Amino acid sequence: MLSLRRDPSWHARFLRGDKDVIEEIYKDTFNEVRLAAGSILRDPADRDAVVHEVFLELISSRHLRESHRGGKLGAWLGAIARHQAIDFARREKRLTPLSDANEPVTTVDPLDEIRAEIVRFATRLDPQRRQLVELRYIAGMTQMEAAAALGMPRSTLEDWERQIRRALHDFLTIGAGEGKKQVVPT
């Protein structure tokens, strides 16, 4: 990519969707985009479908190319891949295979156990921090959405979240769930 980046017309060619520029970006960022999608989706076929969507959109959407504001292309495309992977996982979760439509659902979500541990951890928190955990980690709100719902600045929410993540890590790894006293931020 360095050879193309040194070209003064690179940005204009990128915005136009020039085949050589897009091909070079694909070669340079493919692994990073695939890893980003793989951080959300474990099934290789699902991950590859998302990677395909990302690059197809990069090729076909000038609007997407115009949304790049500089910085590392791999990181930017990786963020897009993570968002699309999350959307993909949500869509797939809502689908019911036709063969299972008349059968009672008895599958267990592997994340249920983790969610239960998070809920158990949250009971040890003060009410506001418990609500933060519920909004961010159970309901899946963004930091901005959770801060608005809690009526606090996002920077305060970030500080609380950092403290909570440390305490949750200790809770899950040290074994606070096995009767040990847990120090929880207040």
Side-chain angles (χ1 to χ4, degrees):
M1 167 113 37
L2 292 174
S3 61
L4 289 175
R5 284 283 188 133
R6 291 183 188 149
D7 179 356
S9 66
W10 181 90
H11 190 258
R13 292 173 58 206
F14 169 68
L15 291 177
R16 279 195 316 266
D18 181 277
K19 178 185 175 283
D20 293 335
V21 171
I22 300 298
E23 187 175 305
E24 197 69 31
I25 291 169
Y26 175 82
K27 288 176 184 175
D28 287 349
T29 63
F30 176 82
N31 287 332
E32 196 168 352
V33 172
R34 194 163 191 265
L35 283 172
S39 70
I40 307 297
L41 301 169
R42 298 295 175 225
D43 183 270
D46 293 346
R47 179 187 56 223
D48 291 343
V50 167
V51 171
H52 175 76
E53 286 177 23
V54 169
F55 285 110
L56 180 62
E57 190 173 352
L58 182 66
I59 291 167
S60 61
S61 173
R62 182 180 176 103
H63 178 72
L64 176 68
R65 293 188 301 274
E66 287 174 347
S67 72
H68 181 253
R69 301 286 179 234
K72 194 169 178 241
L73 282 165
W76 175 66
L77 290 169
I80 292 169
R82 275 188 296 282
H83 289 286
Q84 285 192 4
I86 290 168
D87 290 344
F88 182 93
R90 287 179 180 155
R91 278 192 315 267
E92 290 297 308
K93 192 173 184 177
R94 288 191 299 258
L95 296 178
T96 303
L98 292 178
S99 62
D100 297 341
N102 294 327
E103 297 177 17
V105 177
T106 58
T107 59
V108 176
D109 185 350
L111 296 177
D112 283 345
E113 186 176 325
I114 293 171
R115 285 187 192 102
E117 286 295 311
I118 291 172
V119 169
R120 206 160 57 102
F121 165 77
T123 62
R124 299 168 181 234
L125 299 173
D126 67 74
Q128 273 193 305
R129 284 179 172 80
R130 184 178 315 124
Q131 190 175 9
L132 169 62
V133 169
E134 290 169 0
L135 295 175
R136 288 284 288 139
Y137 302 114
I138 308 297
M141 285 187 174
T142 65
Q143 282 186 342
M144 295 296 287
E145 293 167 338
L150 292 169
M152 68 171 48
R154 186 173 148 263
S155 58
T156 302
L157 183 135
E158 279 182 304
D159 289 341
W160 284 16
E161 204 171 278
R162 194 172 13 265
Q163 294 166 0
I164 289 169
R165 278 195 307 264
R166 275 191 225 117
L168 178 59
H169 176 268
D170 292 346
F171 177 84
L172 293 173
T173 57
I174 297 173
E178 298 169 3
K180 296 178 184 169
K181 180 69 177 153
Q182 176 68 30
V183 178
V184 183
T186 56

